[in-house]
Amino acid sequence: MFSVKKNVLQTVALLKAYGVKQIVLSPGSRNAPLMQTFSQDAFFECHTIVDERNAAFYALGIIQALQQPVAICCTSGSALLNYAPAVSEAYYQQLPLIVVSADRSPEWIGQMDGQTLPQAGVFGSLSKKSVHLPEINNETDEWFCNRLINEALIACTANASGPVHINIPLYEPLFDYSEESLPEVRKIDYARPRKSVEISSFVEKWHKLPKRLIIVGQLFQTPELTELLEGLAEKTDCIVFTENLSNSVSPSFISNFDALLYTISEKEKESFSPDLVITLGGHIVSKRLKHFIRQHKPKNHWHLTESGEVVDLFQSLTDLVETEAIEFFSKLSSEVQDNTEKPFFDLWKNTSLLIPEPKEDIPFSDISVTGDFLKVMPKNSVLHLANSSTVRNVQLFQLDKSIKVYCNRGVNGIESTLPSVIGFASVYKDPVYLIIGDLSFFYGLNALWNIQHIKNLRILLINNGGGGIFHLLPGLNKAASLKEYVSAEHTTQAKDWALAAGLKYLHAENRNDLKESLKAFIDTKTDQSVLVEVSTNMEISKKAFQEYYHNLKTII
């Protein structure tokens, strides 16, 4: 049986019509009619997460796993504001998150009534569309309500995907669940336009700009795109930069460009600077690359985008190309001339080949632990990375092309990682690996609550006792406030929390311990989620990182 609230029925029926199956619910009384109606229809798969902040990030993990829209549902008041960090991440990572919030009747907002605040449009510019539904009393109200929900659900995936907000004021009484079925509702079909560009002008510019660089930002794994870019790199004088988050691996690409840029002098950088930069995908981790291109501005910068939003990351944008990357590169590849000589490609590639990965004999440290795990991680694995040091340390190693890599780089918050990977694991059948630092892990501890049913989670916690990355920042690393306040140094261990969450807990303090722990960590027959906590020394880890980069200078 369903709620009799007609705006609730319209919302739930339309989400079903749009195929939104995954619903993440956070308990409350004001949204109880919504929870009743979602949970009593077998079409929906409902997840219960009490903490709204973690619930929203949990939903982002499901979106990443399924690449489909997911709805989250909360009660009124500050519960909705706890969604804000994940809404911002969804906006900048272009993930289709649907926020459904229950609200009080409007006459009581701001009147000292319980659990009230102005909810309509609360996410501002971080939401692609925000609608405030009417209470339905007549046919016009019903048409209006239906139209608003359609507008929000269309906006969620039109052009580039992103978060939308449906706010539902609910008058008391709330708990009449006597409706026997969902109503027949009008779904407005949206014909997604095919965005195509005339390629001839770009081909002409390509031929006039011989030093060409394609930078691939964060993307889901797309083999067709990788193949197109690989073809361009092989037949033309063009280099392709990828990071692990690009999910695009080829021997023809360069992924260690950040370390390479560290080794070359300012004078040498002139030879390495491109005439043409083409960017696609989401965020780029490397600050060194951003600085390099801003200091050596190309004559042309083309940014490929489906959203049409201006993104001038390198302060040199000349062409905003609103199209799908696959179509653009398919056309470009078929029109541009082959190059028998490739001096720009050879310069970058030959230098790149001189850059080694961190050696196996480096001291036991954050980097050595990361490398030891990556060497034994099974092919075709899913790997989630925390922000800050973790995502940068993994970039020092070449991953197999079968590995799918995920990280919340939209706004780079450390609070997002643990709940997102748990959400991902909840709808994924194979092991899901996570590398995370101690501050990120302990920040997200609420995510471990009630996850005993998840058996495929593999957490590698590198605990160096604080925020190690802050010790590497020039200027900050000598500040009196560093250890106690900025780096938040501590002696906390994860064992008790891990056991309380039903995880198998293993601990390593040296390479031999780690080697044994990793055997259990990658064992696919283990019918239990596993956490391996590795205790490293922050000072040793800092020196290992610095010495790796220092040694590069002696090689190039």
Side-chain angles (χ1 to χ4, degrees):
M1 301 294 284
F2 304 115
S3 169
V4 298
K5 295 291 185 183
K6 291 184 178 180
N7 50 8
V8 168
L9 294 170
Q10 280 284 328
T11 301
V12 174
L14 274 168
L15 284 167
K16 183 176 180 179
Y18 275 81
V20 180
K21 188 176 183 68
Q22 303 290 330
I23 313 293
V24 181
L25 305 170
S26 292
S29 60
R30 187 62 47 164
N31 65 329
L34 284 155
M35 292 190 289
Q36 170 72 15
T37 307
F38 280 125
S39 64
Q40 298 307 300
D41 190 309
F43 171 81
F44 296 106
E45 184 173 336
C46 296
H47 309 250
T48 303
I49 306 293
V50 175
D51 171 0
E52 285 88 4
R53 188 190 72 191
N54 278 316
F57 282 120
Y58 181 101
L60 295 194
I62 298 175
I63 295 172
Q64 291 167 339
L66 303 179
Q67 297 183 37
Q68 298 172 359
V70 172
I72 53 179
C73 176
C74 71
T75 191
S76 63
S78 60
L80 178 60
L81 300 183
N82 285 317
Y83 282 161
V87 169
S88 64
E89 180 65 33
Y91 184 83
Y92 286 108
Q93 207 180 139
Q94 298 182 343
L95 298 176
L97 178 69
I98 302 164
V99 177
V100 179
S101 57
D103 199 355
R104 303 275 168 152
S105 51
E107 65 269 21
W108 291 110
I109 306 300
Q111 300 303 304
M112 294 187 177
D113 200 22
Q115 213 166 318
T116 61
L117 55 82
Q119 293 184 194
V122 73
F123 300 117
S125 61
L126 294 174
S127 174
K128 288 187 67 183
K129 184 76 176 180
S130 180
V131 297
H132 183 70
L133 303 187
E135 183 87 3
I136 298 176
N137 296 308
N138 52 51
E139 288 186 2
T140 300
D141 291 341
E142 186 167 12
W143 161 80
F144 185 37
C145 183
N146 173 276
R147 194 198 82 200
L148 289 174
I149 300 167
N150 270 289
E151 287 179 11
L153 297 182
I154 288 171
C156 186
T157 56
N159 300 317
S161 295
V164 296
H165 178 203
I166 301 171
N167 192 55
I168 309 176
L170 295 173
Y171 292 77
E172 296 181 9
L174 297 172
F175 311 128
D176 183 348
Y177 301 149
S178 59
E179 187 65 41
E180 294 184 358
S181 62
L182 293 178
E184 295 291 327
V185 290
R186 175 188 61 157
K187 174 181 179 289
I188 300 174
D189 292 326
Y190 173 71
R192 184 182 178 93
R194 182 170 181 174
K195 297 177 180 179
S196 184
V197 296
E198 174 54 52
I199 202 66
S200 58
S201 63
F202 294 101
V203 173
E204 183 179 350
K205 293 175 187 177
W206 174 280
H207 290 144
K208 291 179 180 179
L209 301 167
K211 297 163 68 179
R212 310 167 189 117
L213 167 61
I214 298 172
I215 303 173
V216 185
Q218 183 172 16
L219 287 173
F220 292 123
Q221 196 174 82
T222 313
E224 184 180 357
L225 178 61
T226 298
E227 187 176 337
L228 284 168
L229 295 175
E230 194 172 38
L232 270 173
E234 290 173 353
K235 78 173 190 174
T236 70
D237 195 4
C238 166
I239 54 174
V240 178
F241 283 179
T242 62
E243 295 180 316
N244 290 325
L245 302 187
S246 307
N247 283 296
S248 188
V249 177
S250 167
S252 300
F253 301 163
I254 294 175
S255 60
N256 60 354
F257 55 82
D258 186 87
L260 189 159
L261 287 169
Y262 176 82
T263 66
I264 58 178
S265 67
E266 289 301 318
K267 184 177 180 180
E268 289 174 311
K269 286 178 181 177
E270 293 295 333
S271 300
F272 284 82
S273 61
D275 300 321
L276 168 64
V277 171
I278 305 174
T279 52
L280 64 145
H283 288 240
I284 300 162
V285 177
S286 173
K287 292 179 69 174
R288 194 169 281 119
L289 175 63
K290 297 170 191 175
H291 180 74
F292 167 67
I293 298 181
R294 288 169 187 167
Q295 295 300 114
H296 302 83
K297 291 183 171 57
K299 295 176 182 176
N300 268 216
H301 172 198
W302 310 343
H303 180 59
L304 310 187
T305 173
E306 293 185 50
S307 71
E309 292 188 12
V310 174
V311 178
D312 191 12
L313 179 62
F314 305 124
Q315 302 174 312
S316 57
L317 187 66
T318 58
D319 294 82
L320 186 68
V321 189
E322 192 171 355
T323 187
E324 294 182 359
I326 288 176
E327 179 167 332
F328 181 85
F329 285 115
S330 180
K331 288 182 176 180
L332 185 69
S333 182
S334 65
E335 296 291 333
V336 297
Q337 298 173 2
D338 293 5
N339 297 118
T340 54
E341 295 184 354
K342 301 164 61 176
F344 191 58
F345 175 89
D346 291 342
L347 174 66
W348 273 98
K349 192 62 180 176
N350 291 338
T351 309
S352 168
L353 293 173
L354 299 175
I355 306 291
E357 292 185 354
K359 296 179 180 179
E360 293 188 8
D361 61 354
I362 63 172
F364 187 70
S365 59
D366 297 357
I367 294 178
S368 75
V369 171
T370 300
D372 288 351
F373 165 62
L374 294 177
K375 287 179 176 66
V376 299
M377 182 174 58
K379 291 184 178 181
N380 299 302
S381 292
V382 162
L383 174 64
H384 284 251
L385 303 175
N387 281 300
S388 202
S389 294
T390 299
V391 69
R392 291 172 171 84
N393 288 344
V394 173
Q395 192 58 43
L396 300 178
F397 300 89
Q398 180 67 58
L399 300 182
D400 186 83
K401 65 180 181 180
S402 68
I403 306 297
K404 295 179 180 178
V405 185
Y406 300 87
C407 180
N408 286 332
R409 292 300 294 179
V411 288
N412 307 357
I414 69 168
E415 80 277 33
S416 68
T417 305
L418 194 55
S420 288
V421 73
I422 292 172
F424 191 109
S426 73
V427 295
Y428 194 78
K429 63 182 179 65
D430 294 322
V432 178
Y433 294 98
L434 166 66
I435 307 177
I436 190 169
D438 47 281
L439 293 191
S440 295
F441 176 82
F442 291 120
Y443 198 140
L445 269 179
N446 272 9
L448 296 181
W449 186 15
N450 291 335
I451 64 165
Q452 285 84 353
H453 61 289
I454 297 176
K455 309 294 186 182
N456 58 335
L457 191 60
R458 304 288 185 269
I459 302 172
L460 180 63
L461 167 57
I462 302 177
N463 188 346
N464 61 18
I469 194 170
F470 300 117
H471 289 253
L472 296 168
L473 300 178
L476 181 60
N477 57 5
K478 297 180 180 179
S481 60
L482 176 62
K483 289 188 176 183
E484 184 175 358
Y485 300 105
V486 180
S487 181
E489 295 187 17
H490 63 89
T491 58
T492 308
Q493 297 286 303
K495 181 178 180 178
D496 290 342
W497 279 294
L499 294 176
L503 306 178
K504 181 176 182 178
Y505 176 82
L506 300 169
H507 184 242
E509 293 183 333
N510 54 57
R511 268 214 157 99
N512 288 333
D513 289 349
L514 180 61
K515 184 177 180 181
E516 291 303 310
S517 295
L518 288 178
K519 291 178 182 178
F521 193 63
I522 64 173
D523 183 3
T524 58
K525 297 178 182 178
T526 300
D527 188 28
Q528 185 181 13
S529 289
V530 181
L531 186 147
V532 175
E533 182 173 21
V534 187
S535 297
T536 60
N537 180 279
M538 188 182 296
E539 189 63 28
I540 293 174
S541 292
K542 181 181 78 170
K543 288 181 179 179
F545 184 89
Q546 291 172 330
E547 287 176 5
Y548 168 73
Y549 274 94
H550 174 74
N551 290 337
L552 293 180
K553 291 266 191 180
T554 66
I555 296 171
I556 305 300

